[in-house]
Amino acid sequence: MELSDLQTFAAVARTGGISRAAEELNTVQSNVTQRVKALEAEIGTTLFERHSRGMTLTGAGKRLLPYAQKMAALSREALLAARDDGEPKGPLAIGSMETTAAVRLPPLLADFHRRFPAVRLSLRTAPTADLVAAVLDGTLDGAFVAGPIAHADLIATSAFREELVLVSARRWASLAELRAGTPESGPTALVFRTGCTYRQRLEQVFVEFGWPSAARFELGTLDGMIGCVAADMGVTLLPRAVVECSAMSGSVSIHTLSASHARVETLFIQRCAGHQTSTLSGFAACLKKDEDVIAA
């Protein structure tokens, strides 16, 4: 099997479609289609179910995917190891939850850039589930995700401790008023897309409050989320530091939750690799010197 075919297959599986995979791989759709068909012909079975909403893995595709991810990641790791002469330089792809990127990372990234200007750092924001998958398949070198994370192929280091709070429109001065003044089904839950750990936590809070059937409304940006809360469209769950740093913090109410719902650690994850590049080691060193870092 050609490594490029496996990489293309993994991209289609990750993005759910030919066009999105082509965009990610910076190639044309016909090339993606050709490589997937060639791989299916070599294996002798279909790897995807084609339908109007995109493409989903068949049983054979699901069995092949972890091997394709490992081979692609190992290939990238081998290339980086061969080029690594001990001086941090070249590309470094880091992922993060949007909330962490908004508040915690700017000082860290600025410090890293000052210390290692030869590194071409890129940052991608996504929900925790997507970030874990990207680290595992090698498209990200490391990522900041919500804990806990337990995976045999990942190393997780505690990075930041967050307090999650329920955020509502300003008119709800207390949690008791919110619970008493909303419909029996509860307020609308304003959430990021599926795969976000904070979304899962908010759904747990809603179940405890007796609102399991509350409506969900997905938003794609942090500013949009807080803006919709301020407009009394619904409520959300976010780190206190994120809300307090927002320009719209004066337009919302922040409600403290019990420790079981409020406490969460942000972890920095990376693959268990035989060789950690000087570039990634340099980034880890900057992370450890940050004053908010928790000892692992």
Side-chain angles (χ1 to χ4, degrees):
M1 285 181 280
E2 294 289 337
L3 179 60
S4 56
D5 290 348
L6 291 171
Q7 291 172 326
T8 301
F9 158 74
V12 176
R14 181 170 56 253
T15 61
I18 295 292
S19 60
R20 291 187 291 272
E23 182 178 354
E24 180 178 294
L25 296 170
N26 195 28
T27 188
V28 295
Q29 295 183 34
S30 58
N31 184 44
V32 174
T33 300
Q34 180 181 356
R35 290 190 177 279
V36 170
K37 288 183 176 179
L39 188 58
E40 289 179 324
E42 182 177 357
I43 295 174
T45 187
T46 57
L47 300 172
F48 292 100
E49 296 285 352
R50 278 83 166 170
H51 47 74
S52 59
R53 299 183 305 279
M55 300 170 69
T56 55
L57 290 169
T58 63
K62 291 177 181 178
R63 292 189 295 273
L64 177 63
L65 182 59
Y67 294 97
Q69 292 173 331
K70 288 178 181 178
M71 292 174 70
L74 188 59
S75 174
R76 184 171 185 269
E77 180 186 330
L79 182 63
L80 292 174
R83 292 175 174 173
D84 189 7
D85 61 2
E87 181 67 27
K89 60 180 181 295
L92 179 67
I94 298 297
S96 173
M97 299 176 291
E98 184 168 349
T99 52
T100 302
V103 174
R104 300 294 188 183
L105 294 193
L108 171 64
L109 299 182
D111 180 42
F112 179 76
H113 181 63
R114 282 192 297 269
R115 294 177 65 185
F116 307 108
V119 176
R120 301 191 306 276
L121 179 67
S122 62
L123 180 67
R124 168 185 163 190
T125 59
T128 287
D130 293 352
L131 295 171
V132 169
V135 172
L136 286 171
D137 69 22
T139 54
L140 289 176
D141 297 299
F144 293 92
V145 301
I149 296 291
H151 195 290
D153 294 328
L154 294 175
I155 299 172
T157 304
S158 296
F160 311 106
R161 181 183 290 117
E162 301 290 359
E163 178 198 358
L164 299 181
V165 293
L166 194 68
V167 190
S168 73
R170 188 69 178 172
R171 70 187 180 101
W172 304 112
S174 70
L175 197 54
E177 288 183 19
L178 174 65
R179 297 183 67 174
T182 51
E184 185 176 342
S185 61
T188 297
L190 304 181
V191 295
F192 292 114
R193 67 179 185 270
T194 301
C196 173
T197 301
Y198 297 162
R199 173 178 179 153
Q200 297 171 0
R201 289 283 188 107
L202 180 58
E203 290 173 346
Q204 292 170 5
V205 170
F206 270 35
V207 168
E208 183 178 294
F209 287 0
W211 301 330
S213 59
R216 272 68 165 165
F217 190 90
E218 291 189 8
L219 291 140
T221 67
L222 184 58
D223 286 342
M225 183 82 73
I226 298 177
C228 286
V229 170
D232 205 13
M233 183 176 174
V235 303
T236 193
L237 189 72
L238 291 171
R240 181 185 291 274
V242 169
V243 184
E244 291 179 344
C245 287
S246 169
M248 291 178 284
S249 60
S251 302
V252 298
S253 290
I254 298 175
H255 307 288
T256 301
L257 297 172
S258 64
S260 61
H261 293 306
R263 292 175 183 168
V264 64
E265 281 189 347
T266 300
L267 307 176
F268 182 69
I269 60 170
Q270 55 187 296
R271 290 182 66 252
C272 298
H275 176 82
Q276 185 181 57
T277 65
S278 301
T279 302
L280 189 55
S281 295
F283 186 83
C286 288
L287 176 61
K288 289 177 182 178
K289 71 180 290 244
D290 189 279
E291 63 182 3
D292 290 322
V293 170
I294 305 169

